[in-house]
Amino acid sequence: MTVKKVGILTAGGLAPCLSSAIGSLIESYTSKAPDVEIICYRAGYKGLLQGDSFVVTPAIRDKADVLKKHGGSPIGNSRVKLTNVADCVKRGLVQEGQDPLHVAAERLKTDQVDVLHTIGGDDTNTAAADLAAYLHDNGYELTVVGLPKTIDNDVIPIRQSLGAWTAAEQGARFFENVVAEHNANPRMLIVHEVMGRNCGWLTAATAVKYREMLDELDFLPESGLSRERKEVHGVFIPEMHFDLEKEAERLKGIMDEIDCVNIFISEGAGVDTIVQEMESRGEEVPKDAFGHYKLDAVNPGKWFGKQFAEMLGAEKTLIQKSGYFSRAAPSNAADLDLISTCADKAVDCALAGDGGVIGHDEDQGDELRAIEFTRIKGGKPFDIDQPWFDDLLKGIGQPKGEAVAVEHH
């Protein structure tokens, strides 16, 4: 199949790779296949359903590198599940009686798109796979080539998802300032809630990055400026069991000694326990279009803060969430290299008609390839037995808990 026209869309939540990925795809097509027309759908699948797109002009191509210097997604995102018909009707994206898959497929046919690049997580890319299958069954061949975007770094079987390294670095920079709030009140408990619905990788990686930043600082303990007061004292993630009372006893000892405690938690840590508690009070816990609990309603940071505050005798508890700060950042150097490599591979695969999600395939020796959509899944658990995580826990004096299986909420 000769590729004459490609479409690009970004979907789901933000990550520090979207703008850079768009720029890298445009640059790669301009270099390898300059005659291929490129269009971008605004606001993800919403734009596809509504036929809202624009053409990538020569002026955009000439300055595509500018996109790599910014965070967010200039073409816009949305959370739309094409197989959730009721939600699409409710939001006015399709009419009653219409099948969103059919509407999206007809739009791609009308726009004469040969290749669709989807930049998103597992939901985004599996939705694109449904689209490709639907079109194939109806006599229209479309190659879908996805790029894996999620700061959770939890896409099976992809070694490293785009934007996750940057998110960890930015989360650490966020806490670098927040931690000084321990000076504002005696017996201060600071809870740093990090994004990660089912996977603790980002929380752990953020803590490691933050401690590397501490390594670069000078301290003056005689004045009260000590590393101990800026240290991470506890890391709590969905994949590792911990005894709340024992951890509280350990952390209370730290509080008694240095007058503050700083903990990092994944936003998905303890969700099942918190939901059960809420439902036992007769509260209904809302879900999004994909059936996930809305974590702002569950609010794990607040729950953990309350539990620990009472047991540590904290006078003040500060709960800070770095998610929106970190996920909207421009890509760092490491991510830019990964994004550029994956975008080049995505264009090569697109021109060859090889569909899938581009990534280093952990089940095939970390080969960079178009991974079959049927093998793409979310909720890859963080491996707590990795040496760097062991080093983190040893460095902060936290006992390692047993690994636990995590349900994909």
Side-chain angles (χ1 to χ4, degrees):
M1 180 184 74
T2 301
V3 177
K4 295 181 179 179
K5 191 173 186 179
V6 305
I8 299 174
L9 66 79
T10 59
L14 296 183
C17 65
L18 298 174
S19 190
S20 298
I22 296 165
S24 294
L25 285 172
I26 292 171
E27 284 185 333
S28 190
Y29 272 109
T30 301
S31 172
K32 297 180 178 185
D35 293 333
V36 171
E37 183 180 358
I38 306 172
I39 65 171
C40 295
Y41 289 101
R42 293 186 179 92
Y45 286 117
K46 176 183 178 182
L48 178 57
L49 288 171
Q50 297 183 332
D52 185 7
S53 66
F54 65 90
V55 175
V56 174
T57 64
I60 296 175
R61 289 177 185 259
D62 289 345
K63 296 184 177 181
D65 187 60
V66 171
L67 296 174
K68 299 179 182 179
K69 301 173 184 177
H70 293 266
S73 173
I75 64 177
N77 281 24
S78 62
R79 291 187 180 276
V80 176
K81 188 175 181 66
L82 295 178
T83 53
N84 190 335
V85 179
D87 183 66
C88 289
V89 171
K90 180 182 178 181
R91 294 164 65 177
L93 301 178
V94 298
Q95 300 298 315
E96 190 73 48
Q98 287 185 312
D99 179 356
L101 269 176
H102 175 74
V103 173
E106 288 301 313
R107 172 49 56 185
L108 290 165
K109 288 171 66 176
T110 299
D111 291 345
Q112 297 182 313
V113 171
D114 302 307
V115 175
L116 179 64
H117 287 289
T118 53
I119 309 169
D122 59 298
D123 287 326
T124 298
N125 287 309
T126 51
D130 291 339
L131 257 181
Y134 183 92
L135 284 162
H136 173 77
D137 292 342
N138 287 275
Y140 186 91
E141 295 305 322
L142 172 78
T143 302
V144 177
V145 182
L147 288 173
K149 167 240 60 162
T150 172
I151 61 175
D152 296 356
N153 195 28
D154 67 342
V155 180
I156 298 170
I158 293 172
R159 184 186 69 195
Q160 185 70 29
S161 59
L162 311 184
W165 283 326
T166 304
E169 179 183 283
Q170 290 295 320
R173 294 197 181 282
F174 174 89
F175 195 72
E176 190 176 31
N177 284 359
V178 169
V179 71
E181 286 291 332
H182 70 253
N183 301 138
N185 205 85
R187 298 190 72 83
M188 172 78 90
L189 169 63
I190 303 180
V191 179
H192 179 195
E193 183 179 311
V194 182
M195 282 188 167
R197 179 180 292 275
N198 304 292
C199 179
W201 180 90
L202 182 59
T203 302
T206 301
V208 168
K209 262 302 181 194
Y210 172 70
R211 298 190 77 238
E212 289 175 357
M213 292 177 183
L214 291 182
D215 291 340
E216 297 174 2
L217 295 175
D218 293 324
F219 295 94
L220 191 60
E222 297 85 355
S223 73
L225 180 62
S226 68
R227 172 164 179 153
E228 288 74 21
R229 300 194 79 200
K230 290 196 170 187
E231 184 59 90
V232 180
H233 301 122
V235 177
F236 304 104
I237 59 175
E239 296 90 346
M240 187 176 73
H241 173 76
F242 70 96
D243 186 308
L244 185 66
E245 291 188 359
K246 286 185 178 180
E247 272 301 285
E249 183 180 350
R250 179 181 73 85
L251 293 173
K252 187 176 185 299
I254 294 171
M255 179 72 84
D256 292 343
E257 181 181 352
I258 64 172
D259 208 37
C260 65
V261 164
N262 310 310
I263 64 175
F264 282 39
I265 70 161
S266 297
E267 65 176 352
V271 167
D272 287 336
T273 300
I274 300 167
V275 168
Q276 288 175 8
E277 184 180 287
M278 293 174 69
E279 290 179 339
S280 71
R281 297 196 300 265
E283 297 179 37
E284 183 178 346
V285 185
K287 296 182 179 181
D288 63 18
F290 295 90
H292 306 315
Y293 289 119
K294 291 187 175 181
L295 292 178
D296 57 346
V298 178
N299 207 339
K302 181 179 179 181
W303 188 86
F304 272 93
K306 181 181 178 182
Q307 304 301 314
F308 277 128
E310 294 175 358
M311 301 169 86
L312 272 58
E315 287 190 17
K316 184 175 180 180
T317 303
L318 180 66
I319 299 162
Q320 292 287 291
K321 304 180 182 184
S322 60
Y324 291 112
F325 178 88
S326 60
R327 77 178 198 170
S331 308
N332 67 12
D335 264 319
L336 281 173
D337 286 343
L338 179 62
I339 291 163
S340 178
T341 299
C342 289
D344 280 343
K345 184 67 173 180
V347 171
D348 289 341
C349 290
L351 296 174
D354 185 13
V357 180
I358 304 300
H360 293 88
D361 192 335
E362 291 183 309
D363 295 336
Q364 296 196 20
D366 286 340
E367 178 188 353
L368 182 64
R369 57 187 298 273
I371 301 170
E372 298 79 7
F373 285 108
T374 53
R375 295 176 53 223
I376 297 294
K377 296 178 183 177
K380 180 176 71 174
F382 170 56
D383 178 7
I384 67 170
D385 291 326
Q386 295 186 72
W388 65 265
F389 185 63
D390 285 335
D391 290 343
L392 167 64
L393 295 181
K394 289 175 184 176
I396 65 175
Q398 179 177 345
K400 185 176 181 180
E402 296 181 0
V404 295
V406 181
E407 292 185 16
H408 192 187
H409 299 290

